[in-house]
Structures are given as structure tokens and as C-alpha cells.
């Protein structure tokens, strides 16, 4: 095996990129880059019934969107291709023939009905169902008879008796299996297609994969793959199995869980930044030294230490993701924030697709106003609602503020000053708020809260003078007039 670190992410083209699969790809990518190794993409497409059109393209598209690049793969080639398993069938055939010749594998002609019956009988006896080996030593006459009956064989690996399979897991330490836990297992299906555990072991060896990081659901696959390595006298790679990702109720993250968005595409469509998602996913089952949680990709590559992969399940904290994305939004260029948010205002019908220059400038300023609050692009629709309302419905909290004793005086004085204001900009508006304070003697919350609530309908919000400027003089005076009339009634 090569001394160079070579790792792989091996997706099946069965749909869009899931959070759990993205984490697997990301950890392998960080591992490779930290150790100056190679990161390979290999498409495991032998389960043709589950493959979907465009599945491979979708996986690669969203890996790239996250900022993950690879050194070898079906799209860019490499020295160890082909990189799709269905293009490697002749390679597997060679190794199947070798196992059959050595007696380390054999043809099994049992039908699905016979196998089902065998399992049922085992369950009835309180046994764990596993293949009995009934066809492990067929005679030539048996084989001829089965083939005359039209039976198609699968091919099974002959599991060694009384053998321990122990490996030192990167995450979990020593893990041990006994060969008696397994029945002879299928390496080639009746269709002639190799099974996952057989093909993956062949591919990992031929592609000189040195380390394998994957989810803990693959732990039970590892001894089967080790059997393949042993059968050919190959050195096994180093395995590491990452813990589960749990939802906030501490249940396994399931693709059927509708409380959490499961796919990277959904986060892109909602206006999350790929850098934030890269950072967040890295912390699902891995922790850096210290208290910091915000790292760019270069820093994560530098500090990534496989020894710090967690042995306890990762919790997918949606609030933390929104917080982290907000931190990235606040730190990124305002042009990028506008680009992130604008499509959502257009999609919601708040803005036309073809804006004139003044409308575009106004929309840019509205988005900029909410940069500090914005947690993801689509949230701009809810945050900016006050700019697209003709009238305001004041809730109980707002009315409580507006019914304070000083409010009519504050609002009337402020309205009178705005009427005569020709330069309706945030700076001049700010000056008139100060002038209202001086004339009425009211300051702090007694001054600002009534003005904010009357003009925006909200007790909390973005910078008030800028919000008033963007709402426009006509709308602001109309809202102040309506509130004053309501208070006098």
C-alpha cells in the first residue's frame, strides 16, 4: 500500500446530497488535505434499482457548492479509474474467478423462497438468521441439475471458521467480530452484479485507499471487507467510523424527519452560505481545541485532527446553524448578502424581476438595513414585511407602548417637523428626532419607542432613521396621522 494518505467518498447516485453524506465527504476531504494526501470520489452505482437520473451530478454539484474539491473521480479522471463501479464489472469478474478457483467462494443455487424458509425456521428456533451454507459443497451433479432447472446462482464468500476479525478504529479503538457471527455471504448477486462489500473492498485496494472514514452504520460491514482482503493476502486500510447525527430530540437523523432540512440543496435554496455550512457540518462529530467555533476552510484543514473525532453522537442544532450563518453574513461583503437575499424578495412578489435603477438602489438599502439580523437569505421576506405593507395592524405590545401618556405629544411634534423636511434622509431624520426630544423633553424609550412603533409597527427593529427614510415621507406621515387619529378617538 502507498505511504501517501488516500481517502475516498463513495456516494450512491440515489438522490440529493444528504447532511450525513456531506459530513462523510467533508471529513475525508479535511483528512486528505491536512495530511497532504489525495481525496477521491468513487460512484457506487451497482444498486441500479435505487439509482436516480441525475443523482451523481447532483451529489457532485453540491459538494462543489460546499467548497469540496477532489483529486480523482469520474468527472476529472485519474490513474486508478474507472471511478464508477458499473464500469468496473470486468475487474470484479477476475477476482471472483480467483476466489472460485481457490475454493474461497462458491455458487449457491438456493431460491429466494428456500432462503426465506430457512430464515423462518431459524427464527422459530430462537436463532439469529444467517445462511446455513447448504450449498457450500455441491457436487458436479447437483450443479448440473440446478442449472437444468433454470436456476441462476449467486456467488458466496466462504466464511472461515473460528476466526476473529479485529481492527483498531480511528474513532472507537479496538473492535472485534467473530466469524461465527456471519453466514457465507453473497459477493455476486444472481444478476451478475457484485455486492457492496465485495466491490468496495476490491476498489479500495486497487485505488490504494489508505484510510476509510464513514458512518457507524458501516461497522458491521468491516469484517466482511476484511475477509476479502485476507482472501487475496492484501493489507487492509485503516478504518474509522463516525458517530450518528441526532436531531434535537436525540433521535437518529432520518430522511423522513420533517423538522430538520436534510439536504444540502435545501440550505442553498434558503440562502445559507456554503462557508457557514462547511464550518457547521465539520463540528458535527469533531471538535477543535479551545472555545472558538468559527473557522474558514483553510484553518479547518490546518487544525483538523482525527484524534478529536467524537465518540458520542452529534446533535444537529438548527439554532446554532442559523447563528453561525448569521455570523458569516455579518462578515461577508454586502454585495454577496444582497445577492443572497434579493431572489427571495422577487420570488415572494415583493419586487419585480426587472427593476429600474432607483428601485434597485432602494431594495439594496432595505436588505443592507437587515444585514445584522439576517440568519439566511429567505428570512429577508419576513424581516422586511413592514416595507411592503400599506397599513399596519398594531399588536397588543405595540398598543401598550402607544397608549403611554407622552405619546400624542411626541408623535405630533415629530410629524410637524417631518412635514417641513425637504431633505428626507436618515441624517436629517435623526436630527429631527433630536429636535423632538429637545422640544418635548422626552428622551430614551419614551421618545424612540413611540416613533418606532408608530412608523414601523414594531417595538424592535433595524436602525430607525434609515428605516424611516426607506419607507418614505408620504408613508411615514400617513402612518403618524392614523396613529394620532386613533389615539384621539
Amino acid at each position: 500500500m502507498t505511504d501517501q494518505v488516500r481517502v475516498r467518498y463513495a456516494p450512491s447516485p440515489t438522490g440529493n446530497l444528504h447532511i450525513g453524506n456531506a459530513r462523510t465527504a467533508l471529513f475525508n476531504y479535511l483528512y486528505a488535505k491536512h495530511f497532504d494526501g489525495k481525496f477521491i470520489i468513487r460512484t457506487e452505482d451497482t444498486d441500479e434499482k435505487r439509482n436516480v437520473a441525475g443523482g451523481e451530478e447532483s451529489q457532485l454539484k453540491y459538494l462543489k457548492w460546499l467548497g469540496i474539491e477532489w483529486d480523482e473521480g469520474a468527472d476529472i479522471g485519474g490513474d486508478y479509474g474507472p471511478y464508477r463501479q458499473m464500469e468496473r464489472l470486468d475487474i470484479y469478474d477476475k477476482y471472483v474467478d480467483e476466489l472460485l478457483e481457490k475454493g474461497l467462494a462458491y455458487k449457491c443455487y438456493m431460491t429466494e423462497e428456500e432462503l426465506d424458509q430457512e430464515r423462518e425456521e431459524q427464527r422459530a428456533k430462537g436463532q439469529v438468521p444467517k445462511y446455513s451454507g447448504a450449498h457450500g459443497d455441491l457436487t458436479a451433479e447437483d450443479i448440473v441439475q440446478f442449472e437444468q432447472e433454470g436456476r441462476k446462482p449467486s456467488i458466496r464468500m466462504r466464511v472461515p471458521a473460528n476466526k476473529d476479525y479485529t481492527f483498531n478504529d480511528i474513532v472507537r479503538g479496538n473492535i472485534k467480530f467473530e466469524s461465527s457471527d456471519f453466514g457465507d455471504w453473497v459477493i455476486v448477486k444472481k444478476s451478475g452484479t457484485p455486492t457492496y462489500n465485495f466491490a468496495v473492498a476490491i476498489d479500495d485496494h486497487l485505488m490504494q485507499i489508505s484510510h476509510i472514514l464513514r458512518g457507524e452504520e458501516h461497522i458491521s460491514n468491516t469484517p466482511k471487507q476484511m475477509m476479502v482482503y485476507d482472501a487475496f493476502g492484501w493489507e487492509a486500510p485503516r478504518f474509522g467510523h463516525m458517530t450518528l447525527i441526532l436531531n434535537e430530540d436525540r433521535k437518529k437523523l432520518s430522511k423522513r424527519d420533517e423538522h430538520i432540512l436534510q439536504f444540502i440543496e435545501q440550505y442553498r435554496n434558503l440562502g445559507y452560505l456554503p462557508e457557514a455550512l462547511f464550518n457547521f457540518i465539520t463540528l458535527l462529530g469533531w471538535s477543535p481545541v479551545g472555545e472558538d467555533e468559527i473557522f474558514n476552510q483553510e484553518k479547518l484543514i490546518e487544525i483538523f485532527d482525527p484524534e478529536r473525532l467524537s465518540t458520542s453522537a452529534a446533535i444537529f442544532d438548527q439554532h446554532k446553524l442559523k447563528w453561525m450563518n448569521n455570523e458569516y453574513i455579518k462578515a461577508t461583503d454586502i454585495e454577496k448578502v444582497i445577492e443572497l437575499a434579493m431572489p427571495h424578495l422577487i420570488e415572494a412578489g415583493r419586487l419585480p424581476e426587472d427593476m429600474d435603477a432607483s428601485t434597485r438602489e432602494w431594495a439594496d438599502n432595505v436588505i443592507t438595513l437587515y444585514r445584522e439580523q439576517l440568519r439566511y437569505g429567505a428570512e429577508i421576506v419576513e424581516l422586511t414585511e413592514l416595507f411592503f405593507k400599506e397599513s399596519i395592524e398594531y399588536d397588543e405590545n405595540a398598543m401598550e407602548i402607544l397608549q403611554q401618556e407622552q405619546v400624542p405629544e411626541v408623535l405630533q411634534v415629530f410629524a410637524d417637523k417631518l412635514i417641513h423636511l425637504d431633505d428626507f434622509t436618515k441624517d436629517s431624520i435623526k436630527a429631527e428626532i433630536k429636535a423632538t426630544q429637545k422640544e418635548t423633553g422626552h428622551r430614551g424609550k419614551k421618545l424612540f419607542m413611540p416613533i418606532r412603533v408608530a412608523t414601523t409597527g414594531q417595538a424592535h427593529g433595524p436602525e430607525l432613521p434609515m428605516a424611516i427614510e426607506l419607507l418614505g415621507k408620504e408613508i411615514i406621515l400617513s402612518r403618524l396621522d392614523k396613529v394620532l387619529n386613533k389615539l384621539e378617538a
Side-chain angles (χ1 to χ4, degrees):
M1 185 178 290
T2 177
D3 291 333
Q4 183 185 50
V5 167
R6 287 178 57 83
V7 299
R8 47 75 168 175
Y9 169 60
S12 298
T14 55
N16 293 331
L17 183 61
H18 185 262
I19 285 286
N21 293 335
R23 182 185 70 165
T24 298
L26 197 155
F27 281 1
N28 277 282
Y29 171 78
L30 290 174
Y31 196 102
K33 296 306 172 187
H34 179 78
F35 291 106
D36 296 321
K38 298 293 185 182
F39 174 56
I40 294 98
I41 298 284
R42 185 177 70 228
T43 305
E44 296 184 348
D45 56 353
T46 56
D47 193 350
E48 295 181 282
K49 291 180 181 178
R50 295 180 61 231
N51 295 346
V52 299
E56 179 182 355
E57 292 81 358
S58 177
Q59 291 267 340
L60 301 185
K61 174 182 177 179
Y62 289 103
L63 286 175
K64 286 181 179 177
W65 179 79
L66 276 174
I68 297 174
E69 299 287 341
W70 44 96
D71 301 292
E72 302 169 28
D75 59 330
I76 60 174
D79 295 335
Y80 298 87
Y83 292 92
R84 295 186 185 97
Q85 286 187 329
M86 288 302 289
E87 297 172 6
R88 298 173 61 82
L89 295 181
D90 57 333
I91 295 174
Y92 307 131
D93 287 345
K94 167 189 168 186
Y95 291 99
V96 171
D97 290 343
E98 184 176 335
L99 291 178
L100 288 171
E101 288 171 12
K102 292 179 177 178
L104 299 177
Y106 60 88
K107 294 180 179 180
C108 171
Y109 291 86
M110 289 185 73
T111 64
E112 289 303 318
E113 292 76 18
E114 289 170 338
L115 291 168
D116 287 341
Q117 182 180 346
E118 181 178 87
R119 286 189 285 266
E120 287 302 316
E121 290 173 355
Q122 289 170 337
R123 288 191 188 99
K125 296 175 183 176
Q127 299 171 347
V128 176
K130 64 179 181 181
Y131 179 62
S132 65
H135 283 197
D137 295 294
L138 294 176
T139 64
E141 291 76 13
D142 292 332
I143 292 173
V144 169
Q145 180 180 338
F146 286 136
E147 291 189 348
Q148 286 177 345
E149 292 174 9
R151 296 196 188 197
K152 290 186 182 258
S154 61
I155 298 175
R156 291 181 180 270
M157 172 71 77
R158 199 182 296 277
V159 175
N162 305 315
K163 183 175 172 99
D164 291 341
Y165 291 94
T166 303
F167 60 97
N168 185 253
D169 193 277
I170 294 169
V171 180
R172 299 159 186 274
N174 286 334
I175 297 177
K176 177 181 174 181
F177 288 90
E178 297 177 357
S179 61
S180 58
D181 295 334
F182 302 89
D184 295 345
W185 52 280
V186 175
I187 61 173
V188 180
K189 293 179 274 191
K190 293 180 188 295
S191 64
T193 306
T195 59
Y196 166 78
N197 281 310
F198 181 68
V200 75
I202 301 293
D203 291 340
D204 286 337
H205 172 73
L206 295 180
M207 294 182 182
Q208 297 191 27
I209 301 302
S210 62
H211 298 77
I212 295 173
L213 290 176
R214 55 191 181 186
E216 70 173 28
E217 67 273 14
H218 287 286
I219 290 177
S220 60
N221 289 325
T222 306
K224 290 183 178 180
Q225 292 163 23
M226 292 176 74
M227 290 177 202
V228 177
Y229 276 85
D230 284 357
F232 294 110
W234 298 335
E235 180 185 350
R238 182 87 189 273
F239 296 98
H241 293 90
M242 298 169 288
T243 57
L244 294 173
I245 302 175
L246 306 181
N247 64 21
E248 287 153 343
D249 296 326
R250 297 189 173 271
K251 294 180 180 177
K252 182 180 177 182
L253 196 63
S254 164
K255 292 180 182 179
R256 295 183 294 276
D257 187 347
E258 296 180 358
H259 295 97
I260 292 179
L261 298 177
Q262 300 282 314
F263 300 100
I264 300 301
E265 179 181 12
Q266 293 171 304
Y267 288 97
R268 190 204 68 167
N269 292 344
L270 279 173
Y272 281 80
L273 288 166
E275 301 89 346
L277 213 53
F278 188 105
N279 190 160
F280 175 78
I281 294 173
T282 302
L283 301 180
L284 291 175
W286 178 84
S287 60
V289 175
E291 300 298 321
D292 292 341
E293 294 186 291
I294 305 291
F295 303 98
N296 62 27
Q297 184 181 130
E298 290 73 23
K299 188 64 177 178
L300 286 169
I301 289 171
E302 177 190 334
I303 66 175
F304 185 77
D305 179 359
E307 296 295 322
R308 296 192 64 83
L309 286 166
S310 177
T311 56
S312 44
I315 306 298
F316 192 99
D317 186 339
Q318 299 178 80
H319 300 290
K320 182 175 179 179
L321 173 56
K322 290 175 183 177
W323 164 80
M324 186 172 285
N325 201 59
N326 173 249
E327 292 295 309
Y328 274 85
I329 285 175
K330 288 188 290 188
T332 198
D333 295 337
I334 189 59
E335 291 78 13
K336 192 169 183 179
V337 178
I338 291 168
E339 183 183 334
L340 205 65
M342 190 72 77
H344 298 284
L345 290 172
I346 294 170
E347 186 180 353
R350 299 282 173 83
L351 294 169
E353 282 195 45
D354 298 319
M355 286 176 262
D356 57 37
S358 62
T359 304
R360 174 70 198 216
E361 182 182 2
W362 179 84
D364 287 354
N365 286 329
V366 168
I367 293 170
T368 301
L369 191 63
Y370 287 93
R371 178 186 190 170
E372 294 297 308
Q373 294 170 256
L374 191 66
R375 297 178 298 174
Y376 54 95
E379 195 176 35
I380 198 68
V381 176
E382 179 185 349
L383 289 174
T384 60
E385 189 176 9
L386 70 96
F387 289 95
F388 302 96
K389 281 182 173 180
E390 286 193 16
S391 60
I392 295 175
E393 295 293 329
Y394 297 98
D395 61 21
E396 186 178 336
N397 183 39
M399 287 307 302
E400 189 176 324
I401 292 168
L402 293 175
Q403 286 167 354
Q404 293 174 3
E405 183 181 0
Q406 85 287 0
V407 170
E409 180 188 10
V410 167
L411 296 185
Q412 187 63 65
V413 170
F414 184 56
D416 290 343
K417 293 188 179 301
L418 293 187
I419 288 172
H420 303 292
L421 188 62
D422 295 325
D423 180 27
F424 203 78
T425 63
K426 65 175 183 177
D427 291 335
S428 58
I429 292 164
K430 188 175 183 179
E432 296 304 343
I433 293 174
K434 286 186 177 180
T436 302
Q437 173 187 314
K438 186 174 181 181
E439 184 171 329
T440 63
H442 298 299
R443 64 180 64 243
K445 288 187 177 181
K446 287 194 171 185
L447 174 73
F448 287 99
M449 290 297 276
I451 293 175
R452 180 180 289 281
V453 170
T455 56
T456 70
Q458 300 174 348
H460 306 281
E463 180 195 351
L464 183 57
M466 188 63 187
I468 290 174
E469 176 190 333
L470 292 171
L471 281 163
K473 185 175 181 179
E474 184 179 342
I475 289 175
I476 291 297
L477 289 175
S478 173
R479 288 181 178 180
L480 288 170
D481 187 54
K482 286 178 181 177
V483 171
L484 286 166
N485 288 335
K486 193 169 187 176
L487 294 176
E488 289 173 5

